[in-house]
Amino acid sequence: MFTIRKIDVEKILSELKGQMKPKRFQHTLGVIQAARDLAQKFEVDVGKAQLAALLHDCAKCMDGNRLIKMAEEYGIEIDMVDREVPAMLHAPVGAELAKRKYGINDEDVLQAIASHTVGSENMTALDKVVILADTIESGRRTKNAILLREMISEGTSLDEATICCIDFKIKFVIKSKGLLHPKAVSTRNALLLKIQK
Ligand SMILES: [Fe+2]
Ligand SMILES: [Fe+2]
């Protein structure tokens, strides 16, 4: 595994392994690897990308009621969509857990964890690497994941790849008649405005 100064990566890894289903743990390993590759490609801090990837789903196994309760306790903004689909809260709650339980103080890493589902209006390159790594890790076999992997290997920009990733998420929600998180829309708009400038 990778090493980060003052962080016991192996200890976090074994804790996560103990609480995650094998498939989720395997996904986490895949995201770490994809985050490393993407960080190298797009010249982002590799250690931060791997650390965010390691903890990105640390709250994923919590049920909806617990996620809402913890979000309220931590003062996380809860949208109407979060109330209906609380699983979305595993990202911001996970960032709080990374800080409070796993002792991560790096704000860049915490922000990347918090925004790994629907992004944010002010995404950093690290945030983009993590959301993409979550989508294209080698365990993902969907058509969209394959397409996105191809786009990235063919040299698309980090912003364009991230817009495409958000588009896939939005299209999936619309197709499955699910609730669209307003943050997904504002993320997309902000990225589009950025590349048009
Ligand atoms: Fe996640
Ligand atoms: Fe994930």
Side-chain angles (χ1 to χ4, degrees):
M1 201 33 73
F2 61 99
T3 54
I4 303 247
R5 208 163 63 90
K6 292 185 184 167
I7 306 281
D8 192 342
V9 172
E10 292 301 329
K11 187 167 171 249
I12 295 174
L13 202 61
S14 86
E15 273 188 47
L16 292 175
K17 192 175 184 181
Q19 72 189 41
M20 285 175 167
K21 288 181 178 158
K23 206 176 159 194
R24 174 71 39 202
F25 184 69
Q26 210 49 46
H27 163 69
T28 296
L29 296 180
V31 179
I32 294 169
Q33 194 175 353
R36 186 198 61 200
D37 296 345
L38 289 169
Q40 282 168 348
K41 186 178 180 78
F42 293 111
E43 298 178 344
V44 168
D45 188 311
V46 175
K48 289 187 186 202
Q50 288 179 301
L51 186 56
L54 170 69
L55 283 159
H56 84 285
D57 273 346
C58 69
K60 182 82 177 179
C61 51
M62 290 178 183
D63 69 34
N65 288 338
R66 178 111 192 267
L67 284 169
I68 289 180
K69 209 171 153 228
M70 289 180 81
E72 285 171 345
E73 195 183 312
Y74 295 155
I76 292 168
E77 189 189 334
I78 306 175
D79 186 84
M80 179 194 81
V81 177
D82 295 318
R83 297 246 174 230
E84 294 297 321
V85 194
M88 302 284 283
L89 287 168
H90 81 270
V93 169
E96 285 292 334
L97 275 185
K99 186 178 180 175
R100 294 163 193 250
K101 183 176 172 188
Y102 298 100
I104 309 301
N105 293 312
D106 187 312
E107 289 297 330
D108 299 337
V109 171
L110 297 175
Q111 183 181 308
I113 297 170
S115 64
H116 84 267
T117 49
V118 286
S120 69
E121 282 185 38
N122 299 305
M123 289 185 90
T124 62
L126 176 66
D127 299 345
K128 292 166 194 167
V129 158
V130 174
I131 200 170
L132 285 171
D134 187 32
T135 308
I136 67 160
E137 62 96 358
S138 61
R140 302 273 203 205
R141 310 247 186 254
T142 62
K143 202 172 82 184
N144 289 346
I146 294 164
L147 254 169
L148 206 45
R149 254 181 241 134
E150 278 172 8
M151 279 176 66
I152 292 167
S153 70
E154 283 165 10
T156 195
S157 73
L158 185 56
D159 283 332
E160 279 167 350
T162 309
I163 290 171
C164 186
C165 172
I166 298 288
D167 280 355
F168 285 152
K169 286 171 184 269
I170 291 174
K171 283 179 193 164
F172 176 80
V173 170
I174 290 171
K175 204 175 166 193
S176 55
K177 301 202 185 304
L179 290 172
L180 183 56
H181 201 291
K183 261 194 187 171
V185 178
S186 56
T187 298
R188 182 176 188 273
N189 288 343
L191 287 166
L192 274 179
L193 287 171
K194 185 178 173 236
I195 64 164
Q196 283 165 10
K197 274 176 189 165

